[in-house]
Every structure is written in structure tokens, then in C-alpha cells.
């Protein structure tokens, strides 16, 4: 179980404040469990984790193995929740540089359809030159602009490179079970397809084929991911008190917001954390940012961002709080050596491990920021592996639902997302958007 430490928040809120919130948090959790809260049509994510192997899971594994066998590259096409979860898991578990040196048997994984940048597209075209590749396209509708443009081009490239039949064998669709343009294309072309459950929203879909198929292609043990999530489901749903880390985190977020904090910064000392932060940012930003409410979610990677955001965190406006994630040190150690001239002044660290230095940097940062008036929540997450990944996904999804209901908003809709699309479609001259 993740250990949530709130010992460094008491300068901003008090223990009576926290205890007074217990009934609200309890009611929010009950609304999620009972399906009585707003947006209850999208609670399917609660029951996704399973410790038992299923036919669908076996189909995902077999599809992933085919991709690994016949492709140097797998391109995952999707935007928002359609790609952030799998990319978060891949980069946190395998590193942001995991594509270096990969090929058939362990393909490179690139993501497309999450921007409209010509430079990004040209870079992908260069990376695909001379390589066998397959495409996983993820969309409930198949008409979302960014991924639809990317998929149209990639489908054409596959057909030109391999011919229609082989191209169809290399396309894997993850979409709505009964309707939508992508569902229709998959049916007509007999693509291997997987279902996005209708009662699971995009940002809560990481434990469906949306997240599991790309993870499996990367070589992540998705059985372990689901096992970790299943254990989290059992642990975090059955404990109904502030001994539950989910309750504690959700309550503290709301207390901070009510005390005038406008920004939460989620941080880790792992460079592979950036995309997990992006997944968390969408989860909480899109779930809570409505009705004129919501903390602004920001992510940072330390120690790198201590040399950029550190000054603002230390001495800027006191409208922020931090949530720091820590993981156990890996088994393989890196020891600092000596230098006869010691011009860099590092000989005092000779024989120390890099983990030791990292731990002191964490403790020093924590003390400095707390002394600077920034409340800090720390999360000891334990060993970083596939099972922990599943636990983290379920922990934050449940925390998000509880926190949003405590805030008094619907966690499962996103009406504001459509406004930019309407303006863009009108400017592009899309039929039906002329005025």
C-alpha cells in the first residue's frame, strides 16, 4: 500500500480541518462505490482490475506477440487518454530512452495523432524509413481530428508498402464495440480489434486494451499490472477511514484548495516520470476543472526542474503545494569513483552510491520547500515494477473520483473540451460548422 505522509502540511491546514472533512470524503467514496453520484454511467473503470486471466487478456498478449515478431516499430495512434497511460507506464518502467537499440522482437514504440505539428510528423516519417511497422489506432469515434489525420496517412503508407491484405493484418483497432467510424472501418477491413467499454471514459481507460496492448508490445507483463491494480482495488475500497491513503490524499487536496492553494505540483526524482505526470495531469485536470473550480495540476521532474522551477517554488507566490512520489532504489547500484586531481571537488563522495546522493537531494529539497512555506505531501510508493504500476493507476483514479465528488463536480464529463474544436472546425470549413 502506498504510504501518504502529510506531516509537512500543518502550516497551512490543521488537524481539526482534516477531521471535519471525513464525512464528506466518506460520502464521496460511497457515491463511487454505490454508483449514486453524478456521472455514474462512467464507473466501469472501478471493476476493470482482475487477478484472473481472461480470454480478452490472452488475445491482447497474442496480438502483442505478433507485433513484436513482425515489426521493428509499433506506432500507437491516439490522443489524451488514448495514449498517455500506456506511454506513462512504458517510460516510467523502461525509461524515456527505451527505443534506443530496439527492433524486431522488441520493437520501438512511437506515438502519433497527439499533435498537429508538421515537424513531429516529418520526424516520424524519417524514423519509419526502411522499417517494418504496425499500427495500433485508438479512438471511440474514429473522427477525432488529430488521430484521424495521422491514421489516414499511416494506413496509406502501410497499403503502399505491403499491399492491402498485409496492411490490414498490421492494423489493430481499439474502439467502440458497436458504432463509430473506426468500428465500421475495422469491421469492413477485418482488422484485429479490441473494445473500449462504453462505461469507461478515455482518461480512465489505461487498464483496458487502450493501455494494455501497447504495454504488452513494450514487453511489460500486463498480468502483473492488472494484479497490482486488483490488489489496490481490494485494499483501497475496503478501508473506510483516514488510514486509507486514498482518503488522505483526496482530503488534503480539497483542504489545500479551500485554504487558497490554486496549484498542485506532482513530482518525482525519476526522469522517466514525465509522461506519468502528464497522465495524472489529464486525469485530475479534466475531471475537476469545471464549474469554476479545480486545482491546476502541474508536474515536475527533480532534480532537473529544481534548476528551473526551483526558484519559483522556493520564493514565489504561496499559492502552491507539492506532492512528491518516491520509489525504492533499484538493485543495481552506481558508485561514485575518485579522481586524483579532484578539480570538480567530488572526492568527498567517493564510495557513495548515486542513490545515497539522490536521497539527500530529496531530503534537502523537502526541508527547503517546507521552510519556504510550501506544504508538501510525500508518497512512499515502494519498489517500482509492473505490479506497482497497476497500483499507481488505480490509486490515482480512485483518488480522483473521491476528490472530485468532494469538490462537488462530475469527474466523468469534459464539456469544455468541445469549445476549441467548434472554433477550429468553423475556421477549417467543416460541414455543419459554418456559423
Amino acid at each position: 500500500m502506498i504510504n501518504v505522509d502529510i506531516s509537512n502540511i500543518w502550516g497551512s491546514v490543521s488537524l481539526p480541518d482534516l477531521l471535519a472533512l471525513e464525512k464528506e470524503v466518506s460520502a464521496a467514496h460511497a457515491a463511487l462505490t454505490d454508483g449514486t453520484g453524478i456521472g455514474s454511467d462512467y464507473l466501469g473503470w472501478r471493476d476493470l482490475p482482475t487477478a484472473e486471466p481472461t480470454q480478452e487478456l490472452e488475445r491482447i498478449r497474442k496480438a502483442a506477440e505478433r507485433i513484436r515478431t513482425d515489426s521493428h516499430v509499433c506506432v500507437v495512434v491516439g490522443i489524451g487518454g488514448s495514449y498517455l497511460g500506456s506511454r506513462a507506464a512504458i517510460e516510467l518502467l523502461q525509461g524515456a530512452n527505451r527505443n534506443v537499440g530496439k527492433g524486431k522482437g522488441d520493437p520501438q514504440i512511437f506515438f502519433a495523432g497527439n499533435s498537429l505539428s508538421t515537424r513531429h510528423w516529418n520526424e516520424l516519417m524519417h524514423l519509419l524509413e526502411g522499417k517494418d511497422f504496425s499500427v495500433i489506432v485508438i479512438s471511440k469515434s474514429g473522427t477525432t481530428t488529430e488521430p484521424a489525420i495521422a491514421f489516414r496517412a499511416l494506413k496509406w503508407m502501410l497499403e503502399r508498402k505491403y499491399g492491402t491484405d498485409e496492411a490490414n493484418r498490421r492494423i489493430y483497432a481499439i474502439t467502440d464495440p458497436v458504432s463509430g467510424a473506426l468500428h465500421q472501418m475495422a469491421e469492413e477491413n477485418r482488422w484485429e480489434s479490441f473494445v473500449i467499454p462504453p462505461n469507461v471514459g478515455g482518461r480512465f481507460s489505461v487498464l483496458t486494451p487502450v493501455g494494455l496492448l501497447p504495454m504488452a508490445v513494450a514487453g511489460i507483463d500486463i498480468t502483473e499490472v492488472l494484479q497490482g491494480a486488483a490488489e489496490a482495488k481490494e485494499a483501497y475500497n475496503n478501508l473506510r477511514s483516514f488510514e486509507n491513503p486514498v482518503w488522505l490524499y483526496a482530503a488534503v487536496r480539497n483542504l489545500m484548495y479551500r485554504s487558497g492553494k490554486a496549484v498542485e505540483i506532482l513530482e518525482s526524482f525519476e526522469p522517466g516520470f514525465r509522461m506519468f505526470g502528464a497522465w495524472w495531469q489529464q486525469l485530475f485536470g479534466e475531471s475537476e476543472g469545471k464549474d469554476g473550480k479545480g486545482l491546476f495540476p502541474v508536474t515536475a521532474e527533480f532534480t532537473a526542474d529544481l534548476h528551473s522551477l526551483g526558484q519559483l517554488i522556493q520564493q514565489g507566490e504561496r499559492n502552491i503545494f507539492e506532492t512528491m512520489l518516491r520509489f525504492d532504489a533499484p538493485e543495481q547500484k552506481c558508485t561514485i569513483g575518485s579522481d586524483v586531481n579532484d578539480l570538480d571537488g567530488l572526492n568527498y563522495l567517493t564510495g557513495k552510491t548515486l542513490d545515497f546522493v539522490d536521497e539527500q537531494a530529496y531530503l534537502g529539497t523537502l526541508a527547503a520547500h517546507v521552510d519556504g512555506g510550501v506544504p508538501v505531501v510525500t508518497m512512499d510508493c515502494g519498489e517500482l515494477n509492473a505490479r506497482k504500476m497497476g497500483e499507481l493507476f488505480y490509486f490515482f483514479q480512485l483518488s480522483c473520483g473521491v476528490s472530485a465528488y468532494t469538490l462537488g463536480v462530475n469527474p466523468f464529463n469534459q464539456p469544455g473540451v468541445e469549445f476549441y474544436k467548434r472554433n477550429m472546425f468553423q475556421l477549417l470549413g467543416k460541414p455543419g460548422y459554418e456559423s
Side-chain angles (χ1 to χ4, degrees):
M1 188 175 284
I2 294 167
N3 178 45
V4 175
D5 181 351
I6 61 170
S7 60
N8 292 300
I9 69 168
W10 299 122
S12 297
V13 295
S14 68
L15 181 59
D17 292 334
L18 178 64
L19 296 177
L21 202 57
E22 186 171 16
K23 287 185 179 179
E24 291 183 55
V25 175
S26 177
H29 196 170
L32 279 176
T33 303
D34 302 338
T36 55
I38 49 178
S40 58
D41 290 344
Y42 288 92
L43 290 175
W45 58 271
R46 296 173 312 172
D47 303 317
L48 287 173
T50 173
E52 302 298 325
T54 64
Q55 187 176 0
E56 183 79 343
L57 194 61
E58 185 58 28
R59 217 162 55 84
I60 290 171
R61 281 205 201 95
K62 288 180 177 178
E65 191 54 41
R66 284 199 301 275
I67 295 171
R68 288 171 65 84
T69 299
D70 64 20
S71 299
H72 296 99
V73 174
C74 177
V75 183
V76 180
V77 180
I79 197 166
S82 294
Y83 89 101
L84 284 171
S86 61
R87 189 168 181 179
I90 291 167
E91 294 195 7
L92 188 53
L93 291 174
Q94 300 181 341
N97 299 315
R98 65 90 53 197
N99 281 335
V100 177
K102 301 294 186 181
K104 278 190 177 178
D106 190 6
Q108 296 175 308
I109 299 176
F110 298 121
F111 295 87
N114 49 58
S115 81
L116 295 169
S117 167
T118 303
R119 291 179 180 84
H120 181 264
W121 179 256
N122 289 341
E123 178 189 19
L124 178 61
M125 294 304 95
H126 175 71
L127 291 168
L128 290 177
E129 286 179 7
K131 295 177 180 176
D132 289 316
F133 70 99
S134 297
V135 174
I136 300 172
V137 55
I138 306 169
S139 175
K140 274 194 173 182
S141 67
T143 59
T144 304
T145 305
E146 296 91 335
I149 290 173
F151 179 61
R152 175 181 284 200
L154 287 163
K155 178 174 174 290
W156 178 83
M157 289 173 61
L158 283 169
E159 291 171 344
R160 186 179 66 166
K161 184 178 179 72
Y162 298 107
T164 302
D165 290 344
E166 177 64 10
N168 287 336
R169 199 183 71 80
R170 289 176 173 270
I171 295 174
Y172 300 80
I174 304 175
T175 188
D176 188 89
V178 295
S179 64
L182 184 56
H183 172 82
Q184 182 178 343
M185 284 189 281
E187 289 278 301
E188 291 176 355
N189 294 285
R190 298 183 179 180
W191 299 333
E192 173 113 30
S193 59
F194 300 88
V195 166
I196 305 172
N199 61 352
V200 177
R203 59 187 175 275
F204 288 85
S205 66
V206 66
L207 297 176
T208 73
V210 169
L212 296 175
L213 180 56
M215 283 188 237
V217 173
I220 294 170
D221 187 339
I222 56 175
T223 305
E224 284 290 291
V225 173
L226 287 172
Q227 180 69 42
E231 291 170 357
K233 173 187 169 185
E234 180 75 14
Y236 295 130
N237 277 307
N238 288 335
L239 186 56
R240 301 299 178 100
S241 72
F242 277 133
E243 292 182 3
N244 186 338
V246 166
W247 281 35
L248 209 52
Y249 179 53
V252 167
R253 296 183 82 255
N254 278 272
L255 281 178
M256 289 297 168
Y257 182 67
R258 294 176 189 186
S259 69
K261 305 302 181 188
V263 178
E264 177 182 9
I265 311 176
L266 187 76
E267 306 150 346
S268 173
F269 283 67
E270 294 292 337
F273 173 79
R274 284 193 181 273
M275 291 310 301
F276 186 87
W279 173 82
W280 169 88
Q281 188 169 274
Q282 186 206 7
L283 179 68
F284 279 89
E286 204 166 68
S287 296
E288 291 190 323
K290 56 201 71 164
D291 301 339
K293 301 176 182 178
L295 284 160
F296 192 88
V298 180
T299 64
E301 176 232 313
F302 291 163
T303 59
D305 288 335
L306 291 173
H307 296 260
S308 55
L309 293 176
Q311 173 62 42
L312 184 145
I313 294 171
Q314 190 69 46
Q315 295 182 323
E317 189 175 353
R318 302 295 78 180
N319 65 342
I320 61 176
F321 75 98
E322 298 173 88
T323 301
M324 290 187 181
L325 271 64
R326 294 292 288 164
F327 299 98
D328 290 349
E331 290 184 8
Q332 185 175 350
K333 303 300 181 185
C334 178
T335 303
I336 299 169
S338 62
D339 184 88
V340 65
N341 295 317
D342 193 29
L343 294 178
D344 52 15
L346 291 178
N347 273 358
Y348 76 102
L349 294 175
T350 298
K352 299 287 195 305
T353 66
L354 196 55
D355 293 321
F356 172 80
V357 180
D358 179 75
E359 180 70 11
Q360 309 322 303
Y362 156 68
L363 293 172
T365 302
L366 175 63
H369 290 184
V370 171
D371 288 347
V374 181
V376 181
V377 177
T378 56
M379 293 186 181
D380 183 357
C381 299
E383 184 180 359
L384 179 56
N385 52 31
R387 187 170 292 204
K388 181 60 62 177
M389 200 76 239
E391 181 184 1
L392 283 167
F393 282 137
Y394 199 85
F395 171 86
F396 280 113
Q397 286 179 335
L398 184 59
S399 297
C400 182
V402 173
S403 180
Y405 275 162
T406 304
L407 182 63
V409 300
N410 181 354
F412 307 114
N413 68 350
Q414 53 281 337
V417 172
E418 299 304 315
F419 287 100
Y420 97 88
K421 294 181 182 178
R422 293 174 193 167
N423 292 341
M424 179 178 70
F425 292 156
Q426 183 178 4
L427 292 167
L428 289 170
K430 183 175 181 176
Y433 291 84
E434 290 84 359
S435 60

